[in-house]
Amino acid sequence: MPSAPKWVFDVFDRLLSSKSSSMVVSKVEYLSNTVKRIQFKGNIKKLNFGVGSFIDFRVSDTEARRYTVSYVNAAGGILELIAHLHGEAPGSSFMGNLSVGDKVNINPPRPYKYYDPSAERYIIFGDETSLGLACSFLPVLLKNRHPFHFYLELAEENKNIASLLQLENCTVFTKNGSFGNEKWLNDLPIVQSPEWQQSNFILTGNAKSVRAFRKVLKARNQGKIISHGYWLEGKKGL
Ligand SMILES: Cc1cc2nc3c(=O)[nH]c(=O)nc-3n(C[C@H](O)[C@H](O)[C@H](O)COP(=O)(O)OP(=O)(O)OC[C@H]3O[C@@H](n4cnc5c(N)ncnc54)[C@H](O)[C@@H]3O)c2cc1C
């Protein structure tokens, strides 16, 4: 529910108050002009986290937006996310305005079944909004020795963020609409390669790219496809 009257969100806040945590922004870091990593500190021992868990932040009286937990250290009370600042929309402005010392109410993270330990290989696709998911996946992929590859479509100014985040096995594409082009997608080595056709594909980010990629993969690949559009042009929240 991205938008609702103030009283509705007030009721939700009251209902969730025993389960949520009050945290303080302990660090902010601009990975580029439009990508910001934000660290929160507080007691999160009662919260449960999994790969790709996301949090619904109340970003104004009447708006809530989803952000992925990119890193968590429950014992140390540290949680991080990576926000794409794409303009003056409520989520982007809220994340853009957060600075060290700000207090934020953190709702319980919501799980999503992106990770299946029994799957052998993983292809993880997304854009700036998926950087948190990639960071959340990386340790478990390495620990459990899955062959994996990240495919990211990023704006020119964000192209070196994958190496800043030490995302291994990562191919970065310029965000220019190619991932909406089924013919171009079909020619990608990862789609053509028999080796990768049994992979689990996790498709997130721009819903238009996700839809086109899914369609192409469904026609050729035998692996499982998990698609979760994170934003759609012209639509508020998702
Ligand atoms: C499960 C889940 C996890 C997510 N995790 C993250 C995360 O970790 N980091 C993150 O940055 N985002 C994440 N997102 C995406 C984020 O919630 C959306 O981008 C959201 O729309 C941002 O809210 P907003 O108020 O800034 O823009 P909105 O008010 O929702 O949108 C206004 C307009 O801006 C445009 N728009 C929205 N998002 C983008 C964008 N990223 N780039 C360009 N144009 C955009 C659309 O045209 C839209 O109509 C996640 C979404 C989901 C569903």
Side-chain angles (χ1 to χ4, degrees):
M1 188 171 49
S3 307
K6 179 178 179 302
W7 69 266
V8 173
F9 280 127
D10 288 347
V11 170
F12 270 120
D13 280 354
R14 273 200 298 280
L15 289 172
L16 286 174
S17 65
S18 63
K19 295 185 176 143
S20 54
S21 282
S22 171
M23 300 189 79
V24 174
V25 177
S26 44
K27 197 168 159 188
V28 297
E29 187 183 357
Y30 284 87
L31 304 175
S32 74
N33 284 334
T34 55
V35 177
K36 183 178 179 184
R37 180 158 55 185
I38 306 166
Q39 186 188 80
F40 303 86
K41 254 189 151 173
N43 185 347
I44 48 173
K45 285 190 182 136
K46 62 185 170 185
L47 305 182
N48 290 318
F49 298 90
V51 174
S53 295
F54 56 87
I55 293 172
D56 287 332
F57 284 82
R58 186 172 178 182
V59 296
S60 76
D61 279 351
T62 57
E63 306 281 338
R65 295 290 183 271
R66 300 195 151 158
Y67 289 87
T68 306
V69 178
S70 57
Y71 168 80
V72 68
N73 171 351
I78 290 172
L79 176 160
E80 291 180 358
L81 58 82
I82 299 173
H84 185 214
L85 311 179
H86 61 91
E88 295 304 314
S92 179
S93 301
F94 176 84
M95 293 299 169
N97 288 332
L98 283 182
S99 48
V100 172
D102 288 349
K103 270 196 180 159
V104 179
N105 192 45
I106 302 284
N107 287 318
R110 308 201 22 195
Y112 198 86
K113 211 166 169 5
Y114 293 111
Y115 179 61
D116 171 3
S118 69
E120 196 209 341
R121 293 168 177 267
Y122 275 91
I123 302 287
I124 295 167
F125 165 74
D127 64 6
E128 284 86 352
T129 61
S130 318
L131 291 166
L133 179 68
C135 290
S136 159
F137 249 109
L138 183 63
V140 78
L141 293 173
L142 292 172
K143 183 170 163 248
N144 295 341
R145 297 173 184 272
H146 296 279
F148 66 93
H149 204 101
F150 292 110
Y151 257 42
L152 296 177
E153 57 167 345
L154 299 176
E156 200 61 42
E157 62 171 11
N158 295 326
K159 280 181 111 175
N160 74 334
I161 290 182
S163 56
L164 280 179
L165 294 172
Q166 300 182 325
L167 290 176
E168 298 171 26
N169 306 341
C170 186
T171 305
V172 177
F173 297 81
T174 303
K175 195 190 269 183
N176 58 9
S178 295
F179 278 90
N181 177 337
E182 288 173 28
K183 188 181 170 333
W184 181 88
L185 281 165
N186 198 42
D187 291 338
L188 284 174
I190 218 104
V191 175
Q192 293 290 334
S193 150
E195 201 191 351
W196 288 98
Q197 281 177 3
Q198 303 281 351
S199 310
N200 267 24
F201 284 82
I202 314 289
L203 313 177
T204 63
N206 182 340
K208 198 175 161 199
S209 303
V210 167
R211 205 179 305 128
F213 208 170
R214 181 184 170 83
K215 190 171 168 199
V216 168
L217 290 170
K218 276 204 96 161
R220 304 187 58 102
N221 288 61
Q222 290 112 48
K224 192 170 171 189
I225 305 168
I226 295 172
S227 53
H228 194 175
Y230 278 2
W231 66 276
L232 177 64
E233 196 150 349
K235 187 152 191 320
K236 285 167 103 191
L238 264 191

